[in-house]
Amino acid sequence: DVLNFLKSPELKADAAPSVPVHTPKTVQADRTVPVKGFQKAMVKTMTESLKIPDFVYSDEVAVTKLAQLRQAVKEECLKSGVKISYMPFFIKAASNGLLKYPVLNASVDSNCENITYKSSHNIGIAMDTKVGLAVPVIKNVQDLSVIEIAKELNRLMISGKEGTFSASDLTGGTFAISNIGVIGGTYTKPVILPPQVAIIALGTSRVLPRFDADMKVIPEEIICVSGAADHRVVDGVSMASFINLLKKQIENPYLLFLNL
Ligand code: CAO
């Protein structure tokens, strides 16, 4: 039995091991590689970004109803060759929010002397590609339906996998979204991509206990959304109101189809 086995002479501390114990050691030389390609672009943008006096605002967004909606349309979309995730809904909700709070879809010159309110919602999507972080852009989101956004996102994700982005795919962004939640993490502080003035990031969705209107505990699927903005141009109230509007649409996803 187990007790006798534990007392057996083979397990005694002074018993000589029959096989010498080895800790394998891997010998590796240091490696220096040049910074190039997308990483070089990241060095430039991120260094510029550090000069921006930014602030971050975060809130919980319940995606329970969105998850149900997505589940209901997923198969139909697949039949039309479109994979639909949470992202197209968030992108559409953000664009609707930008219509109401255009200061978040603006750009500033390097000395912050002029603000340009952009007419198009060209939304950059932070993407983990085979060559590293890229931010391809979905153009004119204000004119696209959720399914059209999904198609464009699918196309860009294939380009990311194959490394076939066009120059136009990678330029002209006016606002950005990073869904790091695909990988993990609950909270995140997104980094603005100058000359843009705002970006939002999504954390991982988690099912958590929350109160409903009758104070009953219910399971809610929650994503934490964080928005970072250039505080020289955007005030906290604009960002908070924008996130409130995004939250309202995601938590009541039928609103996304009403174009209110
Ligand atoms: N929490 C939990 N699951 C999530 C999620 C989240 N926030 N977002 C997506 N998922 C799920 C999707 O629903 C999908 O599930 P199914 O396979 O069951 O359909 C799965 O994760 C994979 O999603 P996806 O990657 O295919 O699609 P997406 O549209 O959600 O995201 C993209 C697309 C391009 C944003 C994502 O693939 C990506 O590259 N994210 C990384 C972004 C990044 O690197 N940000 C950091 C920038 S700063 O360094």
Side-chain angles (χ1 to χ4, degrees):
D1 69 343
V2 177
L3 260 183
N4 281 334
F5 172 73
L6 289 174
K7 285 182 198 157
S8 66
E10 298 92 290
L11 284 183
K12 287 223 173 103
D14 55 354
S18 52
V19 182
V21 179
H22 271 299
T23 311
K25 290 202 173 48
T26 48
V27 182
Q28 279 184 347
D30 293 350
R31 219 159 51 91
T32 303
V33 293
V35 174
K36 53 186 181 184
F38 280 136
Q39 197 173 8
K40 199 163 186 172
M42 191 157 79
V43 170
K44 191 164 174 264
T45 318
M46 295 296 103
T47 309
E48 278 305 305
S49 186
L50 257 188
K51 297 179 192 159
I52 299 173
D54 65 345
F55 71 93
V56 180
Y57 175 95
S58 303
D59 201 2
E60 285 189 350
V61 176
V63 295
T64 314
K65 286 187 194 154
L66 181 62
Q68 287 162 356
L69 170 66
R70 176 181 169 244
Q71 208 50 42
V73 300
K74 204 170 147 184
E75 289 307 312
E76 278 310 306
C77 290
L78 273 181
K79 279 186 207 157
S80 310
V82 183
K83 184 175 182 273
I84 196 142
S85 62
Y86 295 137
M87 280 299 273
F89 299 96
F90 272 94
I91 295 167
K92 189 65 197 170
S95 172
N96 289 345
L98 296 176
L99 282 176
K100 193 132 189 232
Y101 303 100
V103 69
L104 292 155
N105 193 55
S107 72
V108 275
D109 49 18
S110 50
N111 293 329
C112 201
E113 286 165 343
N114 299 286
I115 304 169
T116 306
Y117 290 79
K118 298 291 200 173
S119 53
S120 300
H121 298 170
N122 295 341
I123 301 192
I125 309 298
M127 197 173 279
D128 182 30
T129 73
K130 73 168 193 185
V131 284
L133 171 69
V135 191
V137 177
I138 303 182
K139 303 269 167 66
N140 292 307
V141 172
Q142 77 282 358
D143 297 333
L144 302 181
S145 65
V146 170
I147 196 77
E148 286 168 331
I149 295 168
K151 272 187 199 157
E152 190 57 0
L153 181 60
N154 285 187
R155 180 185 75 78
L156 292 171
M157 285 174 76
I158 292 169
S159 299
K161 265 196 194 101
E162 295 172 349
T164 54
F165 288 127
S166 67
S168 154
D169 287 337
L170 296 171
T171 49
T174 59
F175 181 85
I177 304 185
S178 167
N179 182 7
I180 193 70
V182 168
I183 315 292
T186 306
Y187 315 104
T188 179
K189 174 190 180 290
V191 183
I192 300 163
L193 304 171
Q196 294 168 34
V197 298
I199 178 170
I200 58 168
L202 318 183
T204 291
S205 80
R206 297 169 303 150
V207 177
L208 296 168
R210 289 292 179 268
F211 291 109
D212 70 6
D214 302 321
M215 295 306 282
K216 277 213 293 277
V217 176
I218 52 157
E220 281 280 19
E221 189 175 337
I222 306 261
I223 285 184
C224 180
V225 177
S226 301
D230 183 335
H231 216 334
R232 298 170 302 178
V233 178
V234 180
D235 57 32
V237 171
S238 300
M239 175 57 91
S241 309
F242 168 81
I243 299 268
N244 282 347
L245 182 54
L246 179 124
K247 179 180 164 85
K248 185 172 159 190
Q249 294 175 80
I250 294 294
E251 294 189 348
N252 305 285
Y254 48 85
L255 291 176
L256 288 170
F257 304 96
L258 294 181
N259 291 330
L260 290 171

